[in-house]
Amino acid sequence: MAELTLAAANSIIAAALEAGAEAGFKPLTVAVLDAGGHLKAFQKQDGASMLRYEIAFGKAYGSLAVGMGSRWLDKNAKERPHFIEGLTAVSGGRIVAVPGGVLIRDAAGTLLGAVGVTGDTSDNDEICAVAGIKAAGLVAQVD
Amino acid sequence: MAELTLAAANSIIAAALEAGAEAGFKPLTVAVLDAGGHLKAFQKQDGASMLRYEIAFGKAYGSLAVGMGSRWLDKNAKERPHFIEGLTAVSGGRIVAVPGGVLIRDAAGTLLGAVGVTGDTSDNDEICAVAGIKAAGLVAQVD
Amino acid sequence: MAELTLAAANSIIAAALEAGAEAGFKPLTVAVLDAGGHLKAFQKQDGASMLRYEIAFGKAYGSLAVGMGSRWLDKNAKERPHFIEGLTAVSGGRIVAVPGGVLIRDAAGTLLGAVGVTGDTSDNDEICAVAGIKAAGLVAQVD
Amino acid sequence: MAELTLAAANSIIAAALEAGAEAGFKPLTVAVLDAGGHLKAFQKQDGASMLRYEIAFGKAYGSLAVGMGSRWLDKNAKERPHFIEGLTAVSGGRIVAVPGGVLIRDAAGTLLGAVGVTGDTSDNDEICAVAGIKAAGLVAQVD
């Protein structure tokens, strides 16, 4: 499996939302992107606020931009904020540098895409992203 | 029912994709937006080309922009192209004025959102959008 | 080979430029993009005018957007200009809908990326793009 | 020599990539811009992450913007961040203010363009940019 299928993307979303429901998290929004940064599948739970698509996309897109989970971006934003500001600028304003964006790899380590989750705390969002990826039999990279 | 639920949005997508598969159409991409123009749910079938999210979104967004299905936009683009050009400009470049963007209403006529479909001919895309909306027990407006 | 390597991209550019030189074409600019629309390799010959990167990129990006060579976009721009205008808008102004953007596939038909050539007539640009792809042992799709 | 030739730009990239390989750095991406800020040549090594073109371009573009290597921008971003934020804004979001963007001058001091390197640490990126420029018989300015 060298490409992210729609079936896999839908599985990731379903499992991420289930993980959030079991933990009692707030309404979640989940975006799954392919390795080129293009949206593959997306769901926004009832009660989620207006700009949640943009936030979920931005976490996943930022992860793909640098080849690291968005937790790495979050750390960099604190240590050298001007790098993340520059990255945000050259991306055309598509990056949200907080945890919850997680790279999706297959067992061989090939990059398939990224998932972005938003709605609860960033740490909880990341937990759901990882749960979704694992439930689909794939490998999650958070930083 | 005055709001588009995630369950309804997912039903619309599933039925639209099923209609396309039954008719032997090319891989489809389906975007469902709420009445505020914000993405609620989305799926892009395997084999669909790169920019299909943007096209599907643009058909649905254009429909909401004027309160008519995107078939109306298509007709206007031929009759008075400068109106559609202006509409595209003031939307920030978010509108694709060809059929396949269909308004979603409930039985009372309340606007719930819009669905945009792309991948086959614009006419076939619209057929799938309407099939998806009807299967969810809602009302479709194509122009 | 399911991914476009830098070695292949460099081969495509070298052969495209050689084809142009042999035919006595004007200075050429060649951009090679991966399947996700991201730049992999690029060369602009001495004497080429200022915005040639943007044009070469736009032809290749437009091809990937719809999964067809940019000759298909050129034909559509004449038949239903409002579709190409909408596509240009939702791409963020990244599409140049004239011949010279050609899809790169491997022998099995897998999409690897696209090449965009500009500098001479659009027809001649396309000839060089195809020559480059073939010289690298890959398959060209012009419409 | 008052202008950056394609031959020189290709030499810079080849030598920068070789320097990175010899030092065991991560996959690199190298952009060479002419003195007007327009892309002349570019290569992205296999395994480099998605947005590396934008980052490499942003380092080189930022250098040309102020006539200093991007190490100077990095220092300014720490001392008076509002200047770099303003510069980023007025550039249309084209600047990445960390080391790795290096000005290219000829022996007489004439500005020919800039090279931007990304992929490893910013300091290592700069080492490769300088090695590339020197190998082409030109003069590097890092701050």
Side-chain angles (χ1 to χ4, degrees):
Chain A
M1 179 184 186
E3 217 168 308
L4 187 71
T5 63
L6 176 56
N10 284 336
S11 292
I12 290 170
I13 295 178
L17 294 180
E18 196 182 327
E22 281 176 9
F25 294 160
K26 292 182 186 171
L28 296 182
T29 298
V30 187
V32 179
L33 281 60
D34 67 22
H38 300 283
L39 193 67
K40 186 73 180 173
F42 173 83
Q43 292 186 43
K44 180 178 175 176
Q45 289 191 304
D46 301 333
S49 67
M50 192 181 74
L51 225 65
R52 291 293 165 182
Y53 163 69
E54 286 77 4
I55 300 172
F57 183 92
K59 291 182 180 188
Y61 197 85
S63 299
L64 290 165
V66 294
M68 313 289 278
S70 65
R71 181 169 289 280
W72 184 91
L73 294 170
D74 185 66
K75 188 165 164 265
N76 265 264
K78 292 166 187 159
E79 291 171 0
R80 44 173 195 161
H82 56 289
F83 173 61
I84 299 302
E85 284 160 16
L87 188 66
T88 300
V90 297
S91 77
R94 296 186 178 190
I95 287 174
V96 178
V98 297
V102 181
L103 294 179
I104 308 166
R105 296 189 184 275
D106 66 13
T110 306
L111 184 66
L112 302 182
V115 56
V117 178
T118 184
D120 206 274
T121 67
S122 292
D123 286 344
N124 287 344
D125 294 341
E126 188 189 76
I127 288 170
C128 296
V130 171
I133 294 168
K134 285 188 179 170
L138 297 165
V139 179
Q141 178 184 344
V142 300
D143 56 12
Chain B
M1 180 183 182
E3 218 169 308
L4 186 71
T5 63
L6 176 57
N10 283 337
S11 293
I12 290 170
I13 295 178
L17 294 180
E18 197 182 327
E22 281 176 9
F25 294 160
K26 292 183 185 169
L28 298 180
T29 298
V30 187
V32 179
L33 282 59
D34 66 22
H38 301 282
L39 193 67
K40 185 73 180 176
F42 174 84
Q43 292 188 43
K44 180 179 176 177
Q45 289 191 304
D46 301 333
S49 68
M50 193 179 74
L51 225 66
R52 293 294 165 181
Y53 161 69
E54 286 78 2
I55 300 172
F57 183 92
K59 292 183 180 187
Y61 197 85
S63 300
L64 290 165
V66 293
M68 312 288 278
S70 65
R71 181 169 290 279
W72 184 90
L73 295 170
D74 185 67
K75 187 165 165 263
N76 265 265
K78 291 166 187 159
E79 292 172 359
R80 43 176 193 160
H82 54 287
F83 172 58
I84 300 301
E85 286 160 16
L87 189 65
T88 300
V90 297
S91 76
R94 297 186 178 191
I95 287 174
V96 178
V98 298
V102 181
L103 293 179
I104 308 165
R105 295 189 184 276
D106 65 13
T110 306
L111 182 67
L112 302 181
V115 56
V117 178
T118 184
D120 207 273
T121 65
S122 293
D123 287 345
N124 287 344
D125 294 341
E126 187 190 76
I127 288 170
C128 296
V130 171
I133 294 168
K134 286 187 177 171
L138 297 165
V139 179
Q141 177 184 345
V142 299
D143 55 11
Chain C
M1 179 184 184
E3 217 168 309
L4 186 71
T5 63
L6 176 57
N10 283 335
S11 293
I12 290 171
I13 295 177
L17 294 180
E18 197 183 326
E22 281 176 9
F25 293 161
K26 292 182 185 171
L28 296 181
T29 297
V30 187
V32 179
L33 281 59
D34 67 22
H38 300 282
L39 193 67
K40 186 72 181 175
F42 174 83
Q43 292 186 43
K44 180 179 176 176
Q45 289 191 303
D46 302 332
S49 67
M50 193 180 74
L51 224 66
R52 292 294 166 181
Y53 162 70
E54 285 77 5
I55 301 172
F57 182 92
K59 292 183 180 186
Y61 197 86
S63 299
L64 291 166
V66 294
M68 313 288 280
S70 65
R71 181 169 289 278
W72 184 90
L73 294 171
D74 184 67
K75 187 165 165 264
N76 265 264
K78 292 165 187 160
E79 291 172 0
R80 45 174 194 160
H82 57 288
F83 172 60
I84 299 301
E85 286 161 14
L87 189 65
T88 300
V90 296
S91 76
R94 297 187 178 189
I95 286 174
V96 177
V98 297
V102 181
L103 293 180
I104 308 167
R105 295 189 184 275
D106 65 12
T110 306
L111 182 68
L112 303 182
V115 56
V117 178
T118 183
D120 206 274
T121 66
S122 292
D123 287 345
N124 288 344
D125 294 340
E126 187 190 75
I127 288 170
C128 297
V130 171
I133 293 168
K134 285 187 178 170
L138 297 166
V139 178
Q141 177 184 345
V142 299
D143 57 11
Chain D
M1 179 186 186
E3 218 169 306
L4 186 71
T5 63
L6 176 56
N10 283 337
S11 293
I12 290 170
I13 295 177
L17 294 181
E18 197 183 326
E22 281 176 9
F25 293 160
K26 292 183 186 171
L28 296 181
T29 297
V30 187
V32 179
L33 280 60
D34 67 20
H38 302 282
L39 194 67
K40 185 73 180 175
F42 174 82
Q43 293 187 43
K44 180 178 175 177
Q45 290 191 304
D46 301 333
S49 69
M50 192 179 76
L51 225 66
R52 292 294 166 182
Y53 162 69
E54 285 78 4
I55 300 172
F57 183 93
K59 292 182 180 187
Y61 197 85
S63 299
L64 290 164
V66 294
M68 314 288 279
S70 65
R71 181 169 290 278
W72 185 89
L73 294 170
D74 184 69
K75 189 166 162 264
N76 265 264
K78 292 166 187 159
E79 291 171 0
R80 43 177 195 161
H82 54 287
F83 172 57
I84 299 301
E85 285 160 16
L87 189 65
T88 299
V90 296
S91 76
R94 298 184 176 192
I95 287 175
V96 178
V98 297
V102 181
L103 293 179
I104 308 167
R105 296 188 184 275
D106 65 13
T110 306
L111 182 67
L112 302 181
V115 56
V117 178
T118 183
D120 206 274
T121 66
S122 294
D123 287 344
N124 288 343
D125 295 340
E126 187 190 76
I127 288 170
C128 296
V130 171
I133 294 168
K134 286 187 177 170
L138 296 165
V139 179
Q141 178 184 343
V142 300
D143 57 11

